[in-house]
Amino acid sequence: SEGTSALLANLPLMMGLIVIMLVIQFGAFRQAGVVLLVVPLGVIGAAAGLHIMQADFGFMVILGLFALFGIIINNAIVLVDRCEIERSEAEKRARDDADVEQVAEAVVQAGMRRFRPILMTTITTILGLLPLIIGQDVLFYGLASAIAFGLVFALAITLGAVPVLYAWFFGAQSASSKSGK
């Protein structure tokens, strides 16, 4: 309980630093918001994994959840960054402000270009965790189960929710700015 208390005591500070780093990286709050909105959804997969595998929740699982959040954030950053690149290229081609179709095209292109790298990193991470799950390691069984199941769920979230959120955040803004012309 002392270890858990120490971890949770610094959680608000670390979350604040993550938000600041994301805003600095993207130079805006909306992109950081897209990334951060998918992080809590990873808990669903981790909780399901713990339940299915009948693993106990404890200190190691909490560490696993923090690692899972980092992986989800990384995957979301990769996809949002690619959406930004695709949207910028679409704007250059159109020599006009991005409209809804350009945002949708950027999201589709980004998803297609980042699907394989995100899928491969997820699969390799899960394969690396399998010996701990199959062997039902006393110390790491819950951690490995939470990360593996969380990653499977997060894969769908990253490739599904991130593009939808991005299109919603940027498509809606583009449509309203276009109607104001």
Side-chain angles (χ1 to χ4, degrees), residues 39-142:
V39 173
L41 300 175
V43 174
I44 297 169
L50 291 173
H51 180 71
I52 290 168
M53 302 305 286
Q54 297 179 349
D56 294 328
F57 186 84
F59 179 76
M60 294 303 288
V61 173
I62 293 171
L63 288 178
L65 288 174
F66 288 155
L68 175 64
F69 294 160
I71 295 167
I72 293 170
I73 288 172
N74 184 51
N75 288 344
I77 288 171
V78 165
L79 196 52
V80 168
D81 186 52
R82 190 69 213 177
C83 287
E84 287 290 300
I85 292 168
E86 295 292 334
R87 189 168 62 111
S88 174
E89 289 175 1
E91 286 177 5
K92 287 178 188 174
R93 283 191 304 268
R95 298 197 180 254
D96 194 24
D97 289 334
D99 61 7
V100 175
E101 292 81 21
Q102 289 172 339
V103 172
E105 179 186 335
V107 168
V108 169
Q109 288 298 318
M112 288 179 6
R113 289 191 175 173
R114 292 297 178 234
F115 174 77
R116 195 165 116 206
I118 291 172
L119 178 66
M120 294 306 293
T121 57
T122 299
I123 289 172
T124 56
T125 303
I126 291 170
L127 289 175
L129 293 168
L130 275 181
L132 297 173
I133 295 171
I134 292 169
Q136 294 188 353
D137 184 80
V138 177
L139 190 57
F140 297 109
Y141 179 67

